[in-house]
Amino acid sequence: MSAVVTVRDLVKTFDHGKVRAIDGVDLATEQGEYLVLLGPSGCGKTTLLRTIAGLERPTTGQVWINGFDVTGLPPRARRIAMVFQSYALYPHKTVHANIVFPLRAARMARPDREQKVRWAAELLGIIPLLGRKPRQLSGGERQRVALARALVREPAVFLLDEPLSNLDAQLRATARDELKRFQQEIGTTTIYVTHDQAEAMGLGDRIAVLSAGQVRQVGHPVEVYDDPADTFVARFIGSPPMNLVARDGVLVGFRPEHLLPADAVPAGDRVRLKLAVDRMEYLSGDRHLYGRVSGLGPETRVVARLPATVTSPITAGEAYDFVVLRDRLRFFDARTERRTDPVPL
Amino acid sequence: MSSVSAGADPGAVTAVEVTEAPTTGSPAAAPRKRLADREGALAWIFLMPSVAYIIVLVGVPFALAIGFAFSDVTAGDPSFDWVGLRNFRRAFDDPVFWQSLTNTVIFTGVSMVLIVLLGKVLANILIANFRGKWLVRFVVLLPWTTPVALSSIAWLWMLDSIFSPIDWVLREVGLLGEQGALLGSGSNMYWLGKPGLAMASVIAVHVWRITPLAAVIMMAGLVAIPRDMEEAAQVDGAGYWRRMVEITIPLVLPVAAVAALFGVVFTFTDFAVVDVLTRGGPNNSTQVLTSWAFFRGIEGGDIGQGAATALFIFPILLAAAIAILRAVRRMDVR
């Protein structure tokens, strides 16, 4: 059985069924995979993670870990390790005592557990911190201690709940890189919850996009970005998000970077549009054009992102000929908002 | 770019004009500070009532007590004559004083331990989520909300030498009143009539009364522990007792110490329970400093003696409070 964690028909309701935090989720992770649960606040991603951890009891459905049904089991029987958003380090214990705690709880012999702590601390580069108390650590150091505490148990799966959200923006980029390298070194299956799509794209082997307690799409970052399963994913992923233009019962979608001046795309099967630019932003070398597009359906506000390599002169307040390559267009049913077959334009 | 934003959003232009339009207030009304803006003055005004209260109702009696302790004032002869340390010397020569002091320490020590332990258990019940918890919470807090005189009198009846319902229950279950019964063959326990039992009864009633307060204090401490902490320990594989001993109790310890301090203060200075249940008896076996000071100073009329005895409470309590608060400060858990 290659799936480390499998959830089946999982439903979790709160307040006597009034709130459906998880609304029928089926999901399986593969061995050694980095699966990211991505969604806006309140979409149920943290509840899903907590249910896998055993901190929440599902209303219906099952959780399987390593081939065993653990649905009714307490967290400690599940061979999991979790890093909390707050890190939840024990404030009255030293770093060493924090890391050794799970091993003592597992009644490991002292020489063995000292060796384990040493190994984990070395891996995360926190040997010099072992004697300190959590309040004497910086945010990044705390995160590493929390990881070390999770690591020493050699769990079947790591569960990480927005572990980067408490770090400042500069530290977050390096911490993200460290997390990824760490996971590749350990090779342990990881489920990672975040609302930050950059984190999800950068870290995930696969991304599960959640909304309103349901999985909208599971796939490789490229898949989720290029071939969104529905308009929610199309709008949620990408910054700026995918443009959607209504036409004859379908929504025609195209990414901002595929809407380009006609003179910048000389060849290929092009769909011609008219873009009336009313505002322009210059962001890290790219030009973001805000305006109204016509020629596809009713006039719709869209965004175009011109990379630095496209140098066509554009002035706000003017209208220009723009094109999208036909194979870049995505089609969604206007009623169900799911992907549909292309329609002739 | 600028021409676009102006043209595209005419509302923005109007908004700018509006903010410039209002003229400043009439020159006659110069800005001035009102009483409500002067924090220094406000501080004094708000503090005055409590300062007055403390001076009149705590400071003055305390100063009087110190004065009386060095005087020969009695109920019959209220004239003040300085007698130096005579009252203290006489108190130290009196074996009942030493017995009262010993009893006070036992009463306080045993009560404090029981109050903290039971308070912790009750606090766990108070924060637990179950059906009918409001009823349990109500019942748990009842002893603390009942006036001490009333509840002590109720206990006086419960512990009555002949009609005690406790004795009746013990007799019915066969622990008392039969040949070879565990608690003796007599028909009654005489709870307040035997020295050891009397002390145990006084402690039990006092613990019964103060525990709800400790429980509420401790509950605040338990609620303040982040839920993550408990959950992290669960995920780390710790069972109930390990979580309790290694995580919850260390984190709640500073608050528990505060509860202990309240327990010490309320027990050390308690007078009502002893007065109602035993009046210090039998044979001074439940006599505590407060009751002894009351019997000597008020009932016996020797105000100087009573004041000297009561004053003895002060340094002991001060030392205990400082010790506990220092211990709390050293427990840097957060």
Side-chain angles (χ1 to χ4, degrees), chain A residues 50 86 92 104 135 153, chain B residues 228 231 235-236 246 332-333:
Chain A
R50 291 169 55 82
S86 65
H92 57 293
R104 292 203 303 116
R135 65 184 162 80
R153 305 185 66 201
Chain B
D228 281 2
E231 290 178 345
V235 173
D236 282 345
E246 289 205 34
D332 53 338
V333 293

Side-chain angles (χ1 to χ4, degrees), chain B residues 102-118 199-200 202-204 206-207 264 267:
Chain B
T102 314
N103 286 343
T104 306
V105 171
I106 293 171
F107 180 41
T108 305
V110 175
S111 297
M112 187 193 83
V113 171
L114 290 175
I115 285 168
V116 170
L117 288 181
L118 295 176
M199 184 49 113
V202 168
I203 289 173
H206 185 70
V207 167
V264 167
T267 313

Side-chain angles (χ1 to χ4, degrees), chain A residues 50 53 55-56 75-76 80-82 84 86 88-93 101-102 104-105 107 133 135 149 153 278-280 316-317, chain B residues 1 3-5 8 226-240 242-243 245-248 250-251 332-334:
Chain A
R50 291 169 55 82
L55 295 170
E56 305 280 357
R76 62 177 173 150
I80 47 147
M82 185 157 168
F84 289 77
S86 65
L89 300 179
Y90 310 126
H92 57 293
K93 291 176 180 289
F101 183 78
R104 292 203 303 116
R107 297 174 202 285
K133 290 274 180 76
R135 65 184 162 80
R149 188 174 70 183
R153 305 185 66 201
D278 54 34
R279 202 160 66 79
M280 188 163 76
Chain B
M1 188 82 191
S3 67
V4 173
S5 59
R227 207 163 63 123
D228 281 2
M229 222 57 83
E230 164 83 5
E231 290 178 345
Q234 274 184 39
V235 173
D236 282 345
Y240 178 82
R242 186 182 292 275
R243 294 202 303 272
V245 173
E246 289 205 34
I247 309 298
T248 309
L251 291 178
D332 53 338
V333 293
R334 251 159 257 183

